[in-house]
């Protein structure tokens, strides 16, 4: 499988949230270049070309990373921390997705260098709108230096 | 004729010569008379001269006599002069003697004057010394008087001490007696102390047990608190996810498979969407409410006019016919947590808009007034209002005074308002007339800045 043209890396453990999010992005025209991983460990394998992604071109990085905060094995927060502390990947925009605005997560994510933070709304209209805006903003308006 | 005239003239001349002769005769007569008078006078003058001669001879005889007298007087004066010369010499000698004496007296005078001055100085010194002695005398007298008084005082004190000593002797005896009594009492106390110590040990044991229990209970409470925290996190995170899925999938059904449902089916799909949405709102509100109890309140002066302006701008929607009209009076500043106070305004103003939706116009009046140390804010609408007999349910959690069909809502907005205002040591209350409108009041501490 060719991973070299992946523009959006999307890490989400909830199958339902993944389906709905991918659908929202598809409707906004970003799906063909999106790659979905089911947890944080797989997200790190993808970014740093390890495990199943060992053959991926290490010079190619996605233009945007969407991370669900609460995932098994490795959380979105830990992925964020590794991406932002690595000089090769720290300039990739990272948007955190979460089911709630509970806890100190928001401040912690921004402290670690998250570029945006979205609480997934229950109402799907709002959800689609939010996802669409993320895609538009980070894919079109702010071009990363890659 | 000529001879006649000559004769006439000669006649006349002779007549004139005769007149002149008569005058010259008369002159001669007068001169004769004068010479006779002069002779008589000379005889008289002769007689006078004779008399004067006789007088001069008498005078000469008298002068001779006077001369003789003068010669005698002269001799007398010469002898007198000789005597005066002798006397004069005597006086000159005496004068010299007197002058010498005067010079000696001047020297003696100066000496006396000098001695006088010295004596005056000495006299002045003596006066000063005298005064000093007088002053010292006075001082000594005063001191002597004081010593007399002090002496008397000492004598009195001595007496007192003697009295006191006598009393002390008596008191000593009393103390000795009391000492004995105390010794007896001390023995009793030692016994009592032993008993107390035993009791204390018992208490300490009980205390330790209690402390242990408090520590255990605190740990339990802390873990319960943590459980509550993770519970609300789970509610927020895990309950929202399936509801989000229900809502999202139903939306997909409507959008992608809408043509396969009849009208009833489509209505049911929309009901699912609405209910899941409501469930999401309930969860969000419940979380917000439970968070209020834990949130740190940061009290600072709040500029109410700009805050209300921002809330109003957020809540006004330009679509629809019933666009709210705001009448905002003066809003005094107060102390509070800005983000929480903003939530109060959002809830009250959005309520006012919501409950006016069946009226032709929405008029919302906002104002404030000071009452003691509090600022009272008012939000008045002319909407649906409520029956004041249900007033005690107004601020309850999930309590509603209107049906969901009439006015949507979760019934937590006013509970949040009350909780926020109470956390600011303020109060919230309302007045309402059914179908006439409602006024909400809430108070906050006065801003000191």
């Amino acid at each position: 499988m060719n991973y070299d043209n992946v523009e959006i890396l999307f890490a989400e453990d909830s199958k339902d949230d993944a389906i709905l999010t991918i659908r929202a992005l598809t409707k906004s025209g970003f799906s063909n270049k999106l790659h979905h991983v089911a947890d944080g460990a797989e997200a790190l394998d993808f970014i740093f070309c390890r495990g199943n992604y060992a053959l991926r071109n290490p010079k190619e990085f996605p233009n945007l990373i969407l991370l669900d905060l609460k995932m098994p094995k490795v959380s979105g927060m830990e992925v964020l921390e590794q991406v932002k502390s690595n000089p090769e990947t720290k300039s990739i925009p990272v948007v955190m997705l979460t089911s709630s605005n509970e806890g100190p997560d928001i401040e912690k994510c921004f402290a670690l260098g998250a570029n945006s933070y979205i609480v997934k709304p229950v109402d799907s209209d709002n959800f689609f709108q939010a996802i669409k805006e993320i895609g538009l903003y980070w894919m079109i308006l702010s071009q990363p230096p890659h | 004729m000529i001879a006649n005239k000559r004769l006439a003239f000669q006649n006349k001349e002779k007549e004139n010569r005769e007149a002149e002769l008569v005058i010259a005769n008369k002159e001669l007569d007068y001169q004769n008379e004068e010479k006779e008078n002069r002779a008589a006078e000379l005889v008289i003058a002769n007689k006078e001269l004779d008399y004067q001669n006789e007088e001069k001879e008498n005078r000469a005889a008298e002068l001779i006599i006077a001369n003789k007298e003068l010669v005698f007087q002269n001799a007398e004066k010469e002898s007198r002069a000789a005597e005066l010369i002798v006397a004069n010499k005597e006086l000159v000698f005496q004068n010299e003697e007197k002058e010498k004496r005067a010079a000696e007296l001047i020297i003696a005078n100066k000496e006396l004057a000098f001695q006088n001055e010295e004596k005056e100085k000495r006299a002045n010194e003596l006066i000063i010394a005298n005064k000093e002695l007088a002053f010292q005398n006075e001082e000594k007298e005063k001191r002597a008087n004081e010593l007399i008084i002090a002496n008397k005082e000492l004598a009195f004190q001595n007496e007192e001490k003697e009295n006191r000593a006598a009393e002390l002797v008596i008191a000593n005896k009393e103390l000795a007696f009391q000492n004995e009594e105390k010794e007896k009492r001390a023995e009793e106390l030692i016994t009592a102390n032993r008993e107390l110590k035993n009791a204390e040990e018992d208490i300490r044991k009980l205390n330790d047990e209690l402390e242990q229990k408090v520590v255990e209970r605190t740990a339990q409470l802390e873990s319960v608190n943590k459980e509550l925290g993770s519970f609300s996190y789970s509610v927020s995170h895990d309950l929202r996810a399936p509801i989000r899925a229900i809502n999202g999938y139903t939306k997909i059904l409507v959008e992608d498979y809408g043509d396969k449902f009849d009208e009833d089916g489509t209505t049911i799909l929309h009901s699912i969407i609405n209910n899941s949405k409501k469930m999401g709102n309930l969860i969000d509100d419940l979380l917000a409410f439970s968070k209020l109890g834990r949130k740190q309140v940061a009290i600072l002066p709040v500029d109410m006019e700009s805050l209300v302006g921002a809330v109003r701008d957020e809540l006004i929607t330009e679509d629809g016919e019933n666009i709210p009209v705001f009448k905002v009076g003066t809003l005094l500043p107060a102390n509070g947590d800005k983000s929480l106070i903003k939530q109060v305004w959002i809830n009250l103003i959005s309520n006012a808009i919501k409950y006016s939706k069946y009226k032709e116009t929405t008029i919302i009046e906002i104002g404030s007034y000071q009452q003691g140390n509090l600022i009272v804010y008012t939000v008045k609408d002319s909407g649906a209002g409520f029956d004041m007999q249900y007033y005690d349910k107004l601020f309850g959690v999930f309590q509603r005074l209107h049906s969901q069909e009439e006015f949507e809502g979760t019934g937590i907005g006013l509970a949040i308002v009350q909780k926020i205002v109470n956390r600011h040591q303020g109060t919230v209350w309302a007045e309402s007339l059914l179908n006439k409108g409602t006024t909400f009041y809430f108070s906050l501490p006065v801003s000191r800045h």
Side-chain angles (χ1 to χ4, degrees):
Chain A
M1 197 177 168
N2 179 19
Y3 299 113
D4 291 346
N5 291 322
V6 169
E7 286 189 345
I8 301 173
L9 176 67
F10 173 43
E12 170 64 82
D13 64 313
S14 155
K15 198 177 139 203
D16 295 321
D17 276 346
I19 289 169
L20 293 170
T21 305
I22 290 166
R23 181 183 149 89
L25 286 166
T26 307
K27 285 209 160 186
S28 306
F30 300 110
S31 69
N32 51 341
K33 293 160 188 173
L34 178 141
H35 181 67
H36 169 237
V37 292
D39 58 53
E42 203 185 336
L44 288 174
D45 281 353
F46 181 92
I47 295 163
F48 297 108
C49 303
R50 297 183 302 223
N52 290 336
Y53 302 97
L55 297 173
R56 200 179 71 79
N57 181 358
K59 300 255 164 86
E60 291 284 334
F61 290 106
N63 292 343
L64 173 69
I65 299 173
L66 296 177
L67 292 175
D68 182 37
L69 199 61
K70 201 180 165 192
M71 291 186 287
K73 294 190 218 170
V74 178
S75 75
M77 192 94 76
E78 289 170 80
V79 177
L80 170 72
E81 198 170 357
Q82 291 201 31
V83 168
K84 288 299 177 184
S85 59
N86 186 308
E88 277 197 281
T89 55
K90 69 176 181 186
S91 59
I92 303 171
V94 178
V95 175
M96 305 306 290
L97 298 170
T98 175
S99 280
S100 79
N101 53 7
E102 258 297 283
D105 296 345
I106 297 179
E107 280 167 35
K108 210 168 163 187
C109 284
F110 281 118
L112 288 172
N115 300 74
S116 200
Y117 187 105
I118 290 176
V119 178
K120 300 174 201 165
V122 165
D123 179 30
S124 54
D125 284 340
N126 290 340
F127 186 50
F128 288 166
Q129 189 59 34
I131 294 293
K132 203 173 151 183
E133 276 166 13
I134 295 170
L136 277 176
Y137 182 76
W138 289 109
M139 296 300 292
I140 297 166
L141 296 179
S142 69
Q143 288 292 332
H146 288 281
Chain B
M1 247 278 297
I2 294 174
N4 252 351
K5 279 180 179 181
R6 193 169 285 186
L7 285 163
F9 178 73
Q10 279 171 358
N11 261 351
K12 218 178 182 194
E13 276 292 299
K14 279 173 188 167
E15 275 173 32
N16 283 349
R17 196 76 188 143
E18 266 176 85
E20 275 172 19
L21 283 167
V22 169
I23 293 167
N25 258 354
K26 279 178 185 171
E27 183 73 15
L28 278 169
D29 284 345
Y30 175 75
Q31 278 176 6
N32 266 351
E33 225 171 280
E34 278 296 294
K35 274 170 190 174
E36 270 168 29
N37 287 343
R38 190 76 186 138
E41 279 171 21
L42 279 171
V43 170
I44 295 165
N46 253 358
K47 282 177 185 170
E48 180 71 12
L49 276 170
D50 282 345
Y51 173 73
Q52 279 180 4
N53 254 358
E54 227 172 279
E55 280 291 302
K56 272 171 190 172
E57 261 168 39
N58 291 344
R59 188 76 184 138
E62 279 169 25
L63 279 170
I64 289 163
I65 294 163
N67 238 5
K68 279 177 187 167
E69 178 70 12
L70 277 171
V71 170
F72 172 75
Q73 279 179 5
N74 246 3
E76 282 291 304
K77 273 172 190 170
E78 256 165 49
S79 66
R80 184 83 186 132
E83 282 168 27
L84 282 172
I85 285 164
V86 176
N88 238 4
K89 278 178 188 163
E90 180 66 18
L91 279 171
V92 167
F93 173 76
Q94 281 177 11
N95 245 3
E96 256 166 55
E97 286 294 304
K98 276 174 189 164
E99 253 163 51
K100 279 179 198 164
R101 184 90 185 122
E104 283 167 25
L105 282 170
I106 286 164
I107 292 161
N109 238 2
K110 277 178 188 165
E111 179 68 17
L112 279 170
F114 174 73
Q115 283 175 13
N116 241 4
E117 235 168 75
E118 287 295 304
K119 275 173 191 163
E120 236 160 70
K121 277 181 198 164
R122 184 85 187 120
N124 284 338
E125 282 167 23
L126 284 169
I127 287 166
I128 292 163
N130 237 3
K131 279 180 187 164
E132 178 68 16
L133 280 168
F135 174 74
Q136 283 176 12
N137 242 3
E138 231 169 79
E139 286 295 303
K140 276 174 190 163
E141 238 161 68
K142 278 182 198 164
R143 185 86 188 117
N145 284 338
E146 282 167 25
L147 284 170
I148 288 165
I149 293 162
N151 242 0
K152 279 181 188 161
E153 178 70 14
L154 279 171
F156 175 75
Q157 281 176 12
N158 244 0
E159 226 168 88
E160 287 292 302
K161 274 173 190 164
E162 256 162 49
N163 291 344
R164 185 93 185 108
E167 283 167 26
L168 281 172
V169 171
I170 294 163
N172 246 359
K173 279 180 191 163
E174 177 73 13
L175 276 172
F177 172 74
Q178 280 177 13
N179 245 1
E180 253 165 64
E181 288 293 304
K182 272 177 192 162
E183 256 162 49
K184 280 180 200 164
R185 183 100 185 104
E187 263 164 48
E188 284 166 25
L189 280 172
I190 287 164
T191 313
N193 241 4
R194 273 192 211 128
E195 280 165 20
L196 269 176
K197 224 173 240 179
N198 291 342
E200 214 165 72
E201 246 161 69
D202 290 350
I203 287 169
R204 197 172 293 155
K205 273 180 202 162
L206 281 171
N207 247 0
D208 286 350
E209 279 167 27
L210 260 179
E211 229 155 77
Q212 186 58 33
K213 270 182 192 163
V214 166
V215 168
E216 281 166 20
R217 189 59 59 78
T218 306
Q220 278 171 11
L221 280 173
E222 267 167 17
S223 84
V224 166
N225 244 4
K226 266 184 203 160
E227 269 170 37
L228 268 176
S230 62
F231 171 74
S232 62
Y233 184 83
S234 296
V235 167
S236 164
H237 191 275
D238 298 341
L239 285 190
R240 281 170 109 256
I243 293 158
R244 195 164 55 241
I246 293 167
N247 185 288
Y249 286 127
T250 315
K251 202 77 176 231
I252 292 170
L253 279 180
V254 171
E255 283 176 7
D256 295 0
Y257 306 94
D259 53 344
K260 295 189 174 155
F261 289 91
D262 60 10
E263 205 180 306
D264 278 354
T266 309
T267 307
I268 290 166
L269 290 179
H270 280 290
S271 289
I272 295 170
I273 290 170
N274 286 339
N275 276 289
S276 60
K277 203 165 152 184
K278 204 201 292 173
M279 183 78 173
N281 289 341
L282 276 168
I283 292 167
D284 287 348
D285 284 352
L286 189 57
L287 275 173
F289 186 71
S290 76
K291 254 168 109 174
L292 274 180
R294 285 173 282 147
K295 191 183 184 297
Q296 283 288 102
V297 180
I299 302 288
L300 288 168
V302 180
D303 177 358
M304 284 300 176
E305 299 205 334
S306 69
L307 186 62
V308 169
V311 170
R312 184 191 56 197
D313 293 346
E314 276 175 32
L315 294 177
I316 286 184
T317 45
E318 294 291 330
D319 53 337
E321 287 172 6
N322 187 358
I323 298 167
V325 175
F326 281 87
K327 292 180 179 172
V328 182
T330 305
L331 295 177
L332 301 165
N335 275 335
D337 183 306
K338 193 178 172 184
S339 65
L340 292 179
I341 301 301
K342 185 180 180 182
Q343 193 60 50
V344 170
W345 285 113
I346 288 172
N347 289 6
L348 292 180
I349 294 171
S350 60
N351 265 5
I353 294 172
K354 182 164 79 184
Y355 290 102
S356 300
K357 72 174 182 181
Y358 297 123
K359 299 281 177 178
E360 274 182 24
T361 52
T362 300
I363 295 165
I364 297 162
E365 292 171 49
I366 297 171
S368 72
Y369 57 89
Q370 186 162 354
Q371 197 171 62
N373 285 330
L374 296 168
I375 304 289
V376 178
Y377 298 94
T378 59
V379 178
K380 184 178 184 225
D381 66 57
S382 43
F386 59 86
D387 190 337
M388 284 295 274
Q389 68 168 305
Y390 303 117
Y391 181 82
D392 55 338
K393 289 185 173 178
L394 190 64
F395 298 102
V397 181
F398 295 136
Q399 296 284 349
R400 304 215 59 217
L401 302 183
H402 298 86
S403 72
Q404 189 67 33
E405 281 70 36
E406 218 183 344
F407 297 102
E408 74 285 5
T410 58
I412 202 136
L414 289 178
I416 287 174
V417 166
Q418 189 179 50
K419 198 154 195 171
I420 291 173
V421 172
N422 287 350
R423 287 206 68 186
H424 285 80
Q425 276 77 48
T427 45
V428 59
W429 68 99
E431 286 164 3
S432 189
L433 265 178
L434 202 54
N435 291 323
K436 296 285 181 197
T438 306
T439 305
F440 276 94
Y441 303 83
F442 70 97
S443 59
L444 291 175
V446 167
S447 170
R448 301 266 172 234
H449 298 267

